[in-house]
Amino acid sequence: MNLGHSYENTARMVTALSNEFPTAEDLPVAYRKAISTLRPLPAHYDEDKNNNYAAITFEDGDWSDYCLNHGIFAHIFDGATPSDAVTRDRWKANIASALRYLQEMSPGLYRMVRLLVTDIVVLNSGADGGGSASQMPGVVVMSPGPKWEVPQYTECLTHEAMHLNLFVADTVYGTFTLPSVELEADEHRALSAVKIGQRRPLDKAFHAAAVTVPLMYLQHQRGTTTLIDLYTESLRDACADLATHREVFTEYGAMLLDELCGFAASIDFAHVAQTITDPTYAGYRPAVAA
């Protein structure tokens, strides 16, 4: 699965929204300005290009209020309990450690997270895990489990950044020929690689399959096989099922599907590393009519 699309796709989205043509150096600020036109709350940015870390808020922040008032991630926000200063400091320290850890494990994935994640909402809801939504580009919601350590924070941030990456790609090129609401129909459901055995709407099943790749890669990098063992077969089953819906994918979506199916067949982590860092894999060029 090619993970190297994030910078070019993000730049294309910025150009479409603002008619600007940012350099790689300018892209973090340009992206934050551009997505602020799509969101109910603006993205914080600093014109100092090296200082655009994600803003961290909690259950009493503006994003929490927005999600509660609009029924977004209700299973996370409805059960959130108040957090004290000590807990918040621990969460912030763990996020900072997770980013340093990610930079050591995979500089390419670190750049993706730093670019795409503009806001992190952390709360204690008992629903361990995270969330992101296409209508809130840049925002990651995180409810850390009581036994989470730095690797789990890292995996959560990477998982949700990959969703954000796919949302950007969908904005730029389109992944499916049908709108999301139509993909909920029974005939457009496919096996999930993460919620193993469940059939989910095609876009959600595709996202679930795609996010397994960076998670498995990170565990490979640190010499752990828990998720590799868990997802190898379920990813192959999910890809086989997704492939039966190929007619519903756009040309770009079919390219991503083929890459995903290729990884599922080979579990080639060396190739994943190459797609993250090699400029050859930096982006998609649609065919040009003769």
Side-chain angles (χ1 to χ4, degrees), residues 169-187:
D170 189 57
T171 299
V172 174
Y173 296 113
T175 310
F176 302 98
T177 60
L178 296 174
S180 182
V181 65
E182 292 189 33
L183 297 178
E184 296 179 5
D186 287 345
E187 64 267 27

Side-chain angles (χ1 to χ4, degrees), residues 72-96:
I72 300 171
F73 299 128
H75 67 292
I76 300 177
F77 285 97
D78 287 349
T81 57
S83 57
D84 58 25
V86 172
T87 300
R88 294 181 178 191
D89 286 344
R90 184 177 71 251
W91 284 337
K92 289 190 285 188
N94 283 330
I95 290 170

Side-chain angles (χ1 to χ4, degrees), residues 191-192 196 231-242 264:
L191 285 171
S192 171
I196 299 172
Y231 292 147
T232 294
E233 289 305 318
S234 67
L235 177 58
R236 287 171 178 162
D237 291 342
C239 283
D241 201 5
L242 287 165

Side-chain angles (χ1 to χ4, degrees), residues 130-272:
S132 51
S134 59
Q135 70 268 40
M136 303 188 320
V139 180
V140 166
V141 177
M142 179 187 295
S143 178
K147 296 183 179 180
W148 278 24
E149 297 180 353
V150 168
Q152 285 70 51
Y153 281 84
T154 304
E155 289 169 2
C156 182
L157 287 171
T158 304
H159 177 146
E160 299 308 332
M162 187 62 185
H163 282 302
L164 296 175
N165 191 20
L166 292 169
F167 291 143
V168 168
D170 189 57
T171 299
V172 174
Y173 296 113
T175 310
F176 302 98
T177 60
L178 296 174
S180 182
V181 65
E182 292 189 33
L183 297 178
E184 296 179 5
D186 287 345
E187 64 267 27
H188 298 310
R189 288 179 175 256
L191 285 171
S192 171
V194 175
K195 296 183 178 180
I196 299 172
Q198 292 188 28
R199 302 188 69 81
R200 304 194 67 203
L202 190 61
D203 52 347
K204 294 178 176 60
F206 178 71
H207 269 243
V211 300
T212 66
V213 180
L215 296 181
M216 293 167 73
Y217 174 72
L218 278 179
Q219 291 216 337
H220 169 76
Q221 287 294 92
R222 66 185 177 99
T224 302
T225 65
T226 303
L227 293 182
I228 299 171
D229 296 340
L230 179 64
Y231 292 147
T232 294
E233 289 305 318
S234 67
L235 177 58
R236 287 171 178 162
D237 291 342
C239 283
D241 201 5
L242 287 165
T244 67
H245 299 270
R246 189 182 184 86
E247 74 280 357
V248 187
F249 285 81
T250 63
E251 181 185 357
Y252 178 78
M255 183 200 71
L256 295 182
L257 176 63
D258 289 343
E259 292 176 347
L260 184 59
C261 291
F263 171 75
S266 66
I267 311 297
D268 183 351
F269 292 115
H271 182 67
V272 173

Side-chain angles (χ1 to χ4, degrees), residues 10-108:
T10 303
R12 286 173 179 264
M13 186 179 77
V14 168
T15 298
L17 291 172
S18 65
N19 202 32
E20 296 179 1
F21 299 86
T23 64
E25 184 182 17
D26 294 333
L27 187 56
V29 170
Y31 166 69
R32 283 155 174 75
K33 289 179 178 179
I35 63 173
S36 293
T37 68
L38 303 175
R39 310 185 337 172
L41 300 170
H44 166 78
Y45 63 88
D46 191 327
E47 292 290 354
D48 176 357
K49 302 177 183 65
N50 296 315
N51 194 33
N52 284 292
Y53 287 90
I56 300 175
T57 58
F58 307 98
E59 75 282 345
D60 55 356
D62 290 342
W63 276 115
S64 290
D65 287 344
Y66 177 81
C67 289
L68 278 167
N69 291 334
H70 291 82
I72 300 171
F73 299 128
H75 67 292
I76 300 177
F77 285 97
D78 287 349
T81 57
S83 57
D84 58 25
V86 172
T87 300
R88 294 181 178 191
D89 286 344
R90 184 177 71 251
W91 284 337
K92 289 190 285 188
N94 283 330
I95 290 170
S97 296
L99 288 170
R100 289 193 296 270
Y101 180 78
L102 181 60
Q103 189 173 25
E104 293 172 4
M105 291 294 101
S106 174

